[in-house]
Amino acid sequence: MSDVADYLETRPLTPTAAAVPIVSISALTGAVMSPQAKQAGLAAPDAKRAGVPCSSCAMHSFCMPEGLTSAEAERIEALICPSRTIRNGETLFRTGDSFQSLYAVRAGSFKTIVMHRDGREQVTGFHQAGDMLGLDGVCSGHHSCDAVAIEDSQVCIIPFHLLEAMCRDVKVVQQHVHRMMGGEIVREATLMMLLGTMSAEQRVATFLLNLSGKLQKRGYSPAEFHLRMTREEIGSYLGMKLETVSRMLSKFQKDGLVDTHGKQIRILDMDGLRRV
Amino acid sequence: MSDVADYLETRPLTPTAAAVPIVSISALTGAVMSPQAKQAGLAAPDAKRAGVPCSSCAMHSFCMPEGLTSAEAERIEALICPSRTIRNGETLFRTGDSFQSLYAVRAGSFKTIVMHRDGREQVTGFHQAGDMLGLDGVCSGHHSCDAVAIEDSQVCIIPFHLLEAMCRDVKVVQQHVHRMMGGEIVREATLMMLLGTMSAEQRVATFLLNLSGKLQKRGYSPAEFHLRMTREEIGSYLGMKLETVSRMLSKFQKDGLVDTHGKQIRILDMDGLRRV
DNA sequence: CGAGTAGTTGATTACGTTCAATCTTCGTGG
DNA sequence: CCACGAAGATTGAACGTAATCAACTACTCG
């Protein structure tokens, strides 16, 4: 439910960080389970050790605090369990599951959904490489949403009790965790604003702009990208029906703001979208 | 933006805590400013020292972690600045203000609002005695919403850097802070669900039920209470117009679910409301 | 290549907004 | 204490946006 990277908006982004291409899932190799993964009771049978250490991971700048000593950086690396592969449509965790770990998305994309008792569900967030998942479980010790992969994905597993322990020793880690949680709070408040005050047209425009900004921070083109989610998932996220999403995209097309071909999106007039 | 008490839902509530009446603002006495308040640069000229120490504050069970040693409890008390009085309509902090402290509502009520650039604003939360305010600033170091008193109120000021320091030393304090932040994340996700999937009727019903539950946890009658906010503020919070709020309340009245006289509310059929 | 899923577009309906008039409550000052 | 004015709340009528229902098209994948 969280965007680790959001709080970076308020910090300068290094040019190198923005230019690094995202690691593809096929570039990640598999290996054996670590003792910590067993201890946390979380790594699935298909858990695999990523060949890439944090220090050389492209998402490094999104997950890790700055200003660590090399000893501290090593301690964090030791704390992180082997990454786990989640195939398209599979769930990383479900509502009610015991909360043990946070998950940093290393590659791929997820949606988080909450289910109403009457069966209706709503998408509460989309999460790409560099985002953090699982903070919803911190409060009660149980997850309060489902996290489902919307393409083949890979996550790093961070046992929360170990992270908490490290927070007690290393101030920058503590502040990093607080900022991640705080960022999630702000992100959700912004979304409440969107759901509470904007028209369907404005919501879709805002959605595209937010996604664009997020991709830009990761070194991708902000103007041309591929949607990982369906119209229905977008609609659920934005509090409207899929037909309405489709209509709004068609309208933007007609107005010359974007160029859509199914899931392929090209933003032609960024300012025009902002003015909607 | 936070409800400290929400996470207590998952923990047993002691009968005594539920039975304690809420301290009235008139019961609080004033005194001088502490060195810490000056240091934090936050206490307003009208800051007053609450005569009541945390240990005998009625809201104690909502703000404080359990299982502290007496030395730790003393340290927390020393850390908390003199409380500050905020009159109806005054703001505790504004968007963009530098984030220095959290605020525990000791008496009264607040709303938090976010402002869109086009001037429209939305209420993102209501906060009563026992709730925590200010977590929105943790991420960026600046507040991302305004907190406005909707009746004469009093808050305890908790300098965040001191709280962070204590989190590093005392595990239960750390977990308490994490749970507060996590609780806020879950609260907002629930609200997103409400805004994204529910009809106006269901939203108003849910609002009344949530408020009722919150009051019950504080030892008040869950069936009969006084709304502190206007229809317009409720509407803004629920993503609808004040007229719609009014119509829904009238409808509930007609259906025999509630009895409303202006801001005085009596819930006649709790289950009926839940079934809406 | 065919089945099934995802997406687009049109027609109709319904819910909530908008605009407006009226009523109530509450705070202020004569 | 009551009168007055302002702000808040209620109710009605007309309107508009997005939902619903439905038909059709375009992809994707065994």
Side-chain angles (χ1 to χ4, degrees):
Chain A
M1 310 183 54
S2 155
D3 181 355
V4 178
D6 276 349
Y7 85 79
L8 288 171
E9 280 178 67
T10 61
R11 298 199 294 172
L13 186 63
T14 62
T16 53
V20 175
I22 295 196
V23 62
S24 107
I25 193 165
S26 57
L28 301 164
T29 62
V32 294
M33 209 193 269
S34 84
Q36 277 156 351
K38 285 173 186 154
Q39 183 194 336
L42 280 159
D46 64 344
K48 299 180 176 190
R49 167 151 220 81
V52 194
C54 289
S55 49
S56 63
C57 171
M59 289 300 106
H60 160 264
S61 63
F62 293 101
C63 305
M64 300 283 251
E66 284 171 25
L68 288 178
T69 66
S70 60
E72 288 161 356
E74 268 175 44
R75 178 171 169 193
I76 283 205
E77 292 228 19
L79 168 162
I80 294 172
C81 294
S83 18
R84 181 177 152 193
T85 300
I86 317 284
R87 303 247 158 251
N88 188 4
E90 289 177 358
T91 69
L92 176 58
F93 53 79
R94 288 197 157 80
T95 303
D97 282 357
S98 159
F99 167 70
Q100 301 291 343
S101 307
L102 298 180
Y103 304 91
V105 181
R106 175 189 271 273
S109 309
F110 290 82
K111 63 177 176 181
T112 42
I113 58 184
V114 293
M115 187 85 87
H116 201 72
R117 43 181 155 69
D118 61 13
R120 275 174 316 180
E121 59 181 50
Q122 175 165 19
V123 173
T124 56
F126 296 112
H127 314 270
Q128 316 158 238
D131 288 344
M132 193 64 71
L133 279 164
L135 287 170
D136 59 284
V138 171
C139 175
S140 68
H142 294 271
H143 286 290
S144 63
C145 65
D146 296 11
V148 182
I150 55 176
E151 62 180 317
D152 292 352
S153 304
Q154 194 148 31
V155 296
C156 303
I157 303 171
I158 306 160
F160 191 65
H161 71 282
L162 296 179
L163 185 63
E164 271 189 327
M166 187 154 181
C167 282
R168 267 175 263 128
D169 297 336
V170 185
K171 192 173 174 183
V172 293
V173 173
Q174 180 194 37
Q175 290 176 333
H176 190 78
V177 169
H178 286 168
R179 272 205 284 233
M180 280 185 346
M181 300 188 78
E184 181 69 8
I185 290 169
V186 172
R187 188 186 72 82
E188 288 187 357
T190 307
L191 211 41
M192 279 174 50
M193 172 93 183
L194 176 144
L195 290 168
T197 71
M198 291 189 192
S199 68
E201 191 180 6
Q202 292 175 313
R203 291 183 207 187
V204 176
T206 305
F207 172 74
L208 292 177
L209 290 169
N210 287 351
L211 195 53
S212 165
K214 226 169 137 170
L215 290 166
Q216 185 166 36
K217 274 191 264 173
R218 271 142 244 244
Y220 281 114
S221 163
E224 200 164 358
F225 47 86
H226 183 84
L227 295 175
R228 256 64 218 226
M229 60 296 277
T230 66
R231 304 287 132 113
E232 186 166 18
E233 286 162 341
I234 296 171
S236 171
Y237 181 61
L238 298 176
M240 65 185 75
K241 294 293 155 188
L242 66 139
E243 293 96 327
T244 307
V245 177
S246 185
R247 273 182 241 277
M248 293 308 141
L249 288 174
S250 300
K251 184 172 187 306
F252 292 155
Q253 176 100 280
K254 187 167 64 66
D255 297 349
L257 299 176
V258 301
D259 191 22
T260 65
H261 285 90
K263 295 191 163 169
Q264 200 61 32
I265 302 279
R266 190 147 57 105
I267 299 181
L268 302 171
D269 183 354
M270 204 72 88
D271 282 329
L273 267 189
R274 272 187 269 266
R275 266 182 268 110
V276 163
Chain B
M1 307 177 64
S2 156
D3 181 356
V4 177
D6 277 346
Y7 85 79
L8 288 171
E9 280 178 66
T10 60
R11 298 199 295 171
L13 185 65
T14 61
T16 52
V20 175
I22 296 196
V23 61
S24 108
I25 193 165
S26 57
L28 303 163
T29 62
V32 292
M33 210 191 271
S34 84
Q36 277 158 350
K38 284 173 187 153
Q39 183 196 332
L42 280 158
D46 64 343
K48 297 180 176 190
R49 168 150 217 82
V52 193
C54 289
S55 50
S56 62
C57 172
M59 288 300 105
H60 160 265
S61 63
F62 293 102
C63 305
M64 300 284 249
E66 284 170 25
L68 288 178
T69 66
S70 61
E72 289 161 354
E74 267 175 46
R75 180 171 167 193
I76 283 207
E77 292 229 17
L79 168 162
I80 294 172
C81 293
S83 21
R84 183 176 149 193
T85 300
I86 317 283
R87 303 247 160 252
N88 188 5
E90 289 178 356
T91 69
L92 176 58
F93 54 79
R94 289 195 157 80
T95 303
D97 282 359
S98 160
F99 166 71
Q100 302 291 342
S101 306
L102 298 180
Y103 304 91
V105 181
R106 175 188 272 272
S109 311
F110 290 82
K111 62 176 175 181
T112 43
I113 58 184
V114 293
M115 187 85 84
H116 202 71
R117 44 181 153 70
D118 61 12
R120 276 174 315 179
E121 60 182 50
Q122 175 165 19
V123 173
T124 56
F126 295 112
H127 314 269
Q128 317 159 240
D131 289 344
M132 193 64 70
L133 278 164
L135 287 170
D136 59 285
V138 170
C139 175
S140 68
H142 295 272
H143 286 289
S144 62
C145 64
D146 295 10
V148 182
I150 55 176
E151 61 180 316
D152 292 353
S153 302
Q154 195 147 31
V155 295
C156 303
I157 302 171
I158 306 160
F160 191 66
H161 69 283
L162 296 178
L163 185 62
E164 272 189 326
M166 189 153 180
C167 282
R168 268 175 263 128
D169 298 335
V170 185
K171 192 171 173 183
V172 293
V173 173
Q174 180 195 36
Q175 290 176 332
H176 190 79
V177 169
H178 286 169
R179 271 205 284 234
M180 279 185 348
M181 299 189 77
E184 182 68 8
I185 289 169
V186 173
R187 189 187 71 80
E188 288 187 358
T190 307
L191 211 41
M192 279 174 50
M193 172 93 184
L194 176 143
L195 290 168
T197 71
M198 290 190 192
S199 68
E201 191 180 5
Q202 292 175 313
R203 293 183 205 187
V204 176
T206 305
F207 173 74
L208 292 176
L209 289 169
N210 287 350
L211 196 54
S212 166
K214 225 168 138 171
L215 290 166
Q216 185 167 36
K217 274 191 263 173
R218 268 143 245 246
Y220 282 113
S221 163
E224 200 163 0
F225 48 88
H226 183 84
L227 295 176
R228 255 63 218 225
M229 60 296 279
T230 67
R231 304 286 134 113
E232 186 166 17
E233 287 162 340
I234 296 171
S236 172
Y237 181 61
L238 298 177
M240 64 185 76
K241 295 292 154 187
L242 67 142
E243 292 95 329
T244 308
V245 176
S246 186
R247 273 182 242 277
M248 294 307 139
L249 288 173
S250 300
K251 185 174 186 306
F252 293 154
Q253 176 100 277
K254 187 166 65 68
D255 296 349
L257 299 176
V258 301
D259 192 21
T260 65
H261 286 92
K263 296 192 162 170
Q264 200 61 34
I265 302 278
R266 191 146 55 104
I267 299 180
L268 302 172
D269 183 355
M270 203 72 86
D271 281 330
L273 267 188
R274 273 188 269 266
R275 265 182 267 111
V276 163

